[in-house]
């Protein structure tokens, strides 16, 4: 990438859950397009490896260990971004857990709270701590990763659906509240994507082959997505190309919700 070029050149971007899957793919794409990237995750070794890979490829990136359910960690990672690069322009609230396989009849409150704390509370804390930093710099773009299961339901995934539906409506409320501050807030709704989290969820099912075939069949395009396809959508929302978008739901699902 030539110096001074790129769709998000010079923007400072924080990507949570960046050690693998959608987060890692997005961190790579943002760096390739000129962003200064702060990667965060609980998986230190994997996260540092992705940041190192980006640096070797000529990008700019650092890694910070980060538990998205911890308010202290959120304050620290945002402060680190501002201290290192001078400001914060983009936040991708991506860290999450799958939370499938919980029948409502036997669902424990402990499991419910654990899923909601990561998938929904973590997004709230991201808004709470990144918002003031963006406002101080004149605005920014926040991309919250929801899901197709934030739009339609799935048996055995009540907590996950509730958390991702919450992310969608939280994004709209934040968008309305922060539009006067020039902070845009949008949600991305991926279909089933070939990531470690999805692969593990399929593997843990009673019949993994049947589960994968069923999932693929639900997508009109006859396949699952790949992380780059979500990363490119996030890049669009992070860039000025989406400057008139806020409070929107960007669905990238191979036709899953079209039927």
């Amino acid at each position: 990438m030539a110096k001074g070029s790129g769709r998000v050149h010079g923007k400072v971007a924080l990507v949570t859950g960046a050690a693998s899957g959608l987060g890692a793919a997005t961190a790579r794409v943002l760096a390739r397009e000129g962003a200064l990237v702060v990667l965060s995750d609980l998986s230190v070794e994997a996260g540092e490896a992705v940041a190192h890979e980006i640096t070797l490829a000529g990008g700019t990136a650092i890694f910070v260990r980060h538990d998205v359910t911890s308010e202290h960690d959120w304050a620290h990672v945002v402060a680190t971004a501002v201290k290192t690069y001078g400001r914060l322009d983009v936040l991708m609230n991506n860290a999450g857990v799958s939370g499938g396989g919980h029948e409502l009849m036997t669902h424990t409150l402990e499991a419910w709270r654990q899923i909601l704390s990561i998938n929904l509370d973590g997004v709230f804390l991201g808004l709470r701590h990144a918002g003031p930093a963006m406002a101080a710099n004149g605005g920014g773009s926040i991309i919250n990763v929801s899901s197709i299961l934030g739009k339609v339901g799935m048996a055995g995934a009540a907590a996950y659906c509730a958390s991702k539906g919450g992310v969608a409506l939280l994004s709209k409320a934040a968008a309305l509240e922060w539009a006067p501050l020039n902070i845009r807030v949008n949600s991305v709704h991926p279909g089933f994507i070939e990531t470690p989290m999805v692969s593990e969820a399929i593997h843990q099912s009673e019949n993994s082959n049947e589960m994968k075939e069923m999932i693929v069949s639900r997508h009109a395009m006859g396949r699952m997505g790949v992380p780059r396809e979500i990363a490119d959508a996030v890049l669009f929302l992070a860039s000025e190309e989406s400057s008139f978008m806020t409070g929107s739901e960007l669905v990238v699902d191979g036709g899953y919700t079209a039927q």
Side-chain angles (χ1 to χ4, degrees):
M1 181 63 66
K3 192 170 184 179
S5 64
R7 293 163 65 187
V8 286
H9 175 73
K11 291 184 182 292
V12 178
L14 168 59
V15 179
T16 71
S20 64
L22 303 185
T26 302
R28 293 184 184 103
V29 166
L30 291 172
R32 184 194 73 205
E33 292 295 333
L36 315 174
V37 186
V38 179
L39 298 86
S40 82
D41 205 294
L42 278 174
S43 301
V44 175
E45 187 174 345
E48 288 179 340
V50 177
H52 183 60
E53 174 195 330
I54 288 171
T55 302
L56 286 179
T60 302
I62 60 170
F63 173 80
V64 180
R65 185 188 182 280
H66 181 197
D67 175 357
V68 295
T69 69
S70 165
E71 188 154 18
H72 174 272
D73 280 13
W74 267 110
H76 172 67
V77 74
V78 170
T80 298
V82 173
K83 181 178 180 181
T84 304
Y85 297 125
R87 63 187 188 279
L88 180 62
D89 302 297
V90 176
L91 168 64
M92 179 193 186
N93 267 318
N94 167 69
V97 292
S98 60
H102 293 280
E103 296 292 338
L104 273 173
M105 291 288 187
T106 55
H107 207 311
T108 65
L109 182 59
E110 179 183 11
W112 174 273
R113 286 179 170 165
Q114 191 257 349
I115 294 165
L116 270 289
S117 69
I118 296 170
N119 290 359
L120 184 55
D121 294 355
V123 173
F124 160 73
L125 289 172
L127 291 165
R128 173 63 183 83
H129 288 274
M134 290 184 177
N137 192 52
S141 176
I142 297 176
I143 302 100
N144 295 326
V145 179
S146 179
S147 169
I148 51 172
L149 299 185
K151 297 179 69 62
V152 298
M154 174 175 279
Y160 185 81
C161 292
S163 70
K164 293 303 187 177
V167 168
L169 269 294
L170 173 58
S171 300
K172 293 180 186 300
L176 294 174
E177 193 167 325
W178 288 352
L181 302 176
N182 196 35
I183 299 174
R184 299 185 296 109
V185 186
N186 295 288
S187 57
V188 173
H189 299 255
F192 283 86
I193 310 298
E194 293 180 359
T195 64
M197 186 176 83
V198 171
S199 295
E200 179 62 21
I202 292 173
H203 179 71
Q204 288 180 358
S205 64
E206 191 172 327
N207 189 318
S208 58
N209 289 333
E210 285 185 9
M211 174 63 77
K212 185 169 183 177
E213 288 175 7
M214 181 276 291
I215 288 172
V216 168
S217 71
R218 296 281 183 90
H219 298 75
M221 295 183 71
R223 65 174 177 87
M224 292 197 292
V226 296
R228 178 194 54 77
E229 292 170 314
I230 306 304
D232 287 344
V234 175
L235 171 63
F236 168 67
L237 291 175
S239 75
E240 294 308 308
E241 296 163 17
S242 59
S243 57
F244 197 51
M245 284 182 68
T246 196
S248 297
E249 301 175 5
L250 184 52
V251 179
V252 188
D253 70 350
Y256 189 105
T257 57
Q259 49 196 325

